[in-house]
Structures are given as C-alpha cells and as structure tokens.
Amino acid sequence: MGLFGRTNEKPPKDLINEWSQKIRKEMRMIDRQIRDIEREQEKVKRSIKDAAKKGQKDVCVVLAKELVQSKRAVTKLYASKAHMNSVLLSMKNQLSVLRVAGALQKSTEVMKAMQSLVKIPEIQATMRELSKEMTKAGIIEEMLEDTFESMEDGEEMEEAAEEEVDKILFEITAGALGKAPSKVTDALPEMEPAGATAASGDESEEDIEEMQSRLAALRS
C-alpha cells in the first residue's frame, strides 16, 4: 500500500511482461482448439463419403455446411493468432521505448489488433481485460462498446455457402456429388439397396446430430 492507502501501480515493464504472458497463453489455447476442430473435420469428411455411397445427398449437404462453418472458424482463429503476434511484437517495441523514454507509448498497431481480438468469442474475455489495462496504461484509446460485439456472419453464410458446399462435396466425393461453382443437382452414381439405407437411417441421423454438436462446441 502507498501513502493514504492507495495501491502502488505496477511498473510498466511488469505490465508488458504480464500482458505478453497472457497473450501467449491464449495463443496456446487457440492452437489446441484448431487441432481439435481439424480432427473433427476429418471425421466429417469420412461421414460425407459414407453418406455419398449410400445416396444420402441431403445428409452430405448438411455435413458439408458444417464443414464450411468449421473451416471459417479455423480461418478466424488463425487470423486472431496473427493479430496476437502483432501485439507481442509491439510489446517488445514498447520495452525499447521504455528504456529510452522512460514511459509507454501510444500505439495505433496495438489499437487495431485489439479491436479485432475483442470480437473473437474464444478469447473475448481476456482481450477485453487486456484492452482496459492497456487503455489505463495509455497504449491504446478507450474502445466503444459496439467494438466488443461478436462478429455475426449468418447472412454471409447463406450467400456464399452454396458454392463452398458444392466445392467441398465435389472434392470429397471425387466428383460423385457437387459441381463447383454451380449448384448441386447431380444424382449419385452409387446407391445402396433401399432396405439397407432405411435400416441405417436413424443411426445416420444420430451420428450427424452428434457431429454437429461436437463441431458447434469446438467453435464456441
């Protein structure tokens, strides 16, 4: 405690080291999440191939859409890692400035990176906390509340999904289903007997729901 009961502020160097540690921790978490999503994607691809062999086009399309969403989630996670790397580099520069000027310097690069990072649901809580601390330290300006809102891409998904879904189906089923970039209209060349398909219908539906739940959990 300082004079008059006031808490001493942390030295700028300690703040920078603390922020850097938190960012590196979040980056490791993102790496794990990316690996988990990519493992799940491989399972989905195998399920699409199985459904294609059974002539279950609707199942293929549903799973392909899940794959599109998970690929986009991974892309966003990689982008967030790039932004965090940018912040880490800026923190190193801040240490250099601190040695020369004796104080931290306002950074537009850090501001831009943090504006993007606070929108990523997976790391939003930590990045909000860091942005407030950096604002207090004078590195960035205070962010408006709407900056913290998560990015919604439901509409974007509807507009661009069909073409991506077709491409994925075309690649995974080796041309048996899907045309890139035209809409899926092809019938599948191989069909299992009706009895076999009916018998496995309930099981396939349960597998799809389970897979969708796992991918949704990984993306959230």
Side-chain angles (χ1 to χ4, degrees), residues 10-20 91 94-95 98-99 104:
K10 288 183 181 178
K13 184 178 179 181
D14 291 351
L15 282 174
I16 290 174
N17 290 333
E18 187 177 303
W19 296 336
S20 298
M91 291 301 104
Q94 288 287 346
L95 286 174
L98 187 61
R99 282 193 290 269
L104 297 175

Side-chain angles (χ1 to χ4, degrees), residues 20 34 45 48 55 64 73-74 84 94-95 102 131 136 140 153-154 169 177 208-209 215:
S20 298
I34 288 172
K45 288 177 183 177
I48 290 175
V74 168
M84 284 190 278
Q94 288 287 346
L95 286 174
S131 68
K136 188 176 179 182
I140 64 175
D153 59 353
L169 289 174
L177 183 64
I208 293 167
E209 289 176 359
L215 278 171

